[in-house]
Amino acid sequence: MIGLALLLGYLPMVSYALFVWWLDRYEKEPLRLASTAFLWGLLPAILIAALAEVALEPPLEEGLWRDLISSGLIAPLAEETAKGLFLALLFLRRRDEIDSLYDGFLYGSLVGFGFAATEDFFYLIGAGIEGGTTAMLALAFMRAGIFGLNHAFFTGFTGLGLAMARLSPRGFRRLWAPLVGWGAGVGFHAFHNGVLIFVSHLGDEGSALVGCLTVIAGDWMGALLVFALGLWGLYRERLWITWYLGKEVERGTLPPAVYQECRSAWRRGFRRWGALLRGDWQEWKRLGDLYGAAIELAFRQHQRLALGEQRWEKEIARLRERIRALTAPSRIGDP
């Protein structure tokens, strides 16, 4: 039973996490940092949230109001704050890793998937004890399938808010964006928990069905919204790459063919996989270093010009030299 709970609880969330990490097509976030985000949700955030919920448990008798306050208010506040602690630390200590809105969504969703995996595991164990394998499978379908994206999109809002603050040149937006993002995550979380708690106390099947459908609609609209904002971040990354690397082509820093490849994940993949299939490991590595340096150059240019971060001048010069070295005739393999 424990083995099945582990499989049903963790495998879907790991799969979701790998997908959103894979979708970051231009500048992959470090796998170690992405894994740390997932692991934070997996255990530390769960423990912090559980301690906070126990400490803040309302001194009320069993009933609707106690459940609404506990699950509909305290739980969302405790869980989104516990998950958001890692994101706040990330943005304080490793803010240079955040280049777009998608990066904020990515790290927020990774923390959420880790949190959901452990939470689902414990719920599945309980369902298995009470109702056996059938109950466990039914609950897994609900939690990993229908509601499987919830924790990721709740915390994705927090990540988006912090990313917006990081990418904004205006001080006022840097103050309110993280609070709005965190508040949106708490709000959607409270809506989900609150409606389900309320209809569970009605004891009416029709009302319960309407409530469940309302929650599902709200959850999926929220998930689509936060995902759309993340994809908008990816689209903006492509615009930056197009604009700033176009200028580097004019400067003679970047060959036009490499410029076109940097703008297309498919072209980059085709070139690198072609080298790998030929057994040309040096060319495979050279292309990876070249694309990485070029795309990072575009992001640093954007941060310098759009955000006014003049500290990137030396890094921009270094990246240009790196690109020149990697595109020198002596370094280029056969196409």
Side-chain angles (χ1 to χ4, degrees):
M1 182 176 294
I2 292 178
L4 183 60
L6 284 169
L7 181 67
L8 295 175
Y10 287 93
L11 182 59
M13 298 306 147
V14 171
S15 301
Y16 292 150
L18 288 173
F19 174 75
V20 296
W21 181 75
W22 170 83
L23 201 58
D24 189 8
R25 306 309 295 153
Y26 295 111
E27 188 186 38
K28 277 275 190 276
E29 295 305 299
L31 186 57
R32 179 178 298 180
L33 196 56
S35 301
T36 303
F38 186 83
L39 292 172
W40 175 266
L42 205 68
L43 188 59
I46 285 278
L47 294 176
I48 293 171
L51 290 173
E53 290 175 44
V54 170
L56 299 173
E57 187 71 23
L60 300 173
E61 295 182 0
E62 294 282 348
L64 173 61
W65 285 109
R66 183 179 186 276
D67 290 346
L68 281 176
I69 293 173
S70 178
S71 296
L73 180 60
I74 293 174
L77 286 170
E79 293 177 11
E80 296 313 312
T81 301
K83 289 185 285 181
L85 287 175
F86 173 84
L87 300 176
L89 183 62
L90 172 68
F91 280 76
L92 287 173
R93 300 292 300 275
R94 301 289 296 273
R95 64 196 303 265
D96 291 342
E97 293 291 345
I98 308 305
D99 300 308
S100 74
L101 290 178
Y102 190 84
D103 292 347
F105 160 75
L106 172 64
Y107 284 112
S109 65
L110 289 174
V111 174
F113 285 132
F115 192 97
T118 298
E119 188 179 68
D120 288 355
F121 169 73
F122 285 109
Y123 275 107
L124 289 167
I125 287 291
I129 292 172
E130 292 183 6
T133 302
T134 301
M136 187 184 291
L137 292 172
L139 183 63
F141 173 74
M142 291 294 294
R143 294 194 65 86
I146 295 177
F147 298 130
L149 304 180
N150 281 15
H151 276 293
F153 97 75
F154 297 155
T155 317
F157 276 114
T158 304
L160 283 169
L162 287 164
M164 186 177 294
R166 162 73 183 98
L167 299 170
S168 174
R170 299 178 182 177
F172 181 67
R173 184 181 295 177
R174 290 181 176 181
L175 292 176
W176 65 256
L179 293 176
V180 170
W182 173 82
V186 171
F188 273 103
H189 197 157
F191 169 80
H192 172 87
N193 287 8
V195 172
L196 291 180
I197 288 294
F198 185 76
V199 298
S200 69
H201 281 268
L202 293 179
D204 179 83
E205 292 185 0
S207 299
L209 178 60
V210 171
C212 286
L213 292 176
T214 301
V215 166
I216 292 171
D219 288 347
W220 278 90
M221 283 191 292
L224 289 174
L225 173 61
V226 74
F227 189 61
L229 290 172
L231 290 181
W232 169 248
L234 282 181
Y235 173 72
R236 292 186 67 192
E237 285 186 4
R238 192 174 191 276
L239 292 180
W240 299 337
I241 290 168
T242 299
W243 173 257
Y244 292 108
L245 292 190
K247 297 297 182 182
E248 296 302 321
V249 173
E250 294 175 5
R251 288 175 57 97
T253 305
L254 194 69
V258 177
Y259 165 71
Q260 295 296 337
E261 289 160 8
C262 287
R263 295 177 65 244
S264 169
W266 294 107
R267 290 188 181 188
R268 294 198 309 275
F270 180 79
R271 282 292 309 278
R272 293 198 75 198
W273 275 102
L276 194 62
L277 292 173
R278 294 194 307 269
D280 192 343
W281 294 93
Q282 289 187 344
E283 178 68 359
W284 179 82
K285 185 178 186 305
R286 184 191 73 87
L287 288 171
D289 292 342
L290 175 58
Y291 297 147
I295 291 170
E296 185 178 355
L297 174 60
F299 292 160
R300 297 299 175 246
Q301 286 275 46
H302 176 75
Q303 290 164 355
R304 181 178 68 88
L305 295 175
L307 305 182
E309 297 180 355
Q310 300 303 316
R311 60 193 174 94
W312 293 117
E313 287 285 0
K314 290 184 178 180
E315 179 66 7
I316 288 170
R318 186 193 71 80
L319 289 168
R320 283 174 175 156
E321 288 302 316
R322 178 67 173 155
I323 291 169
R324 291 189 183 100
L326 289 167
T327 55
S330 61
R331 294 293 305 275
I332 299 176
D334 296 330

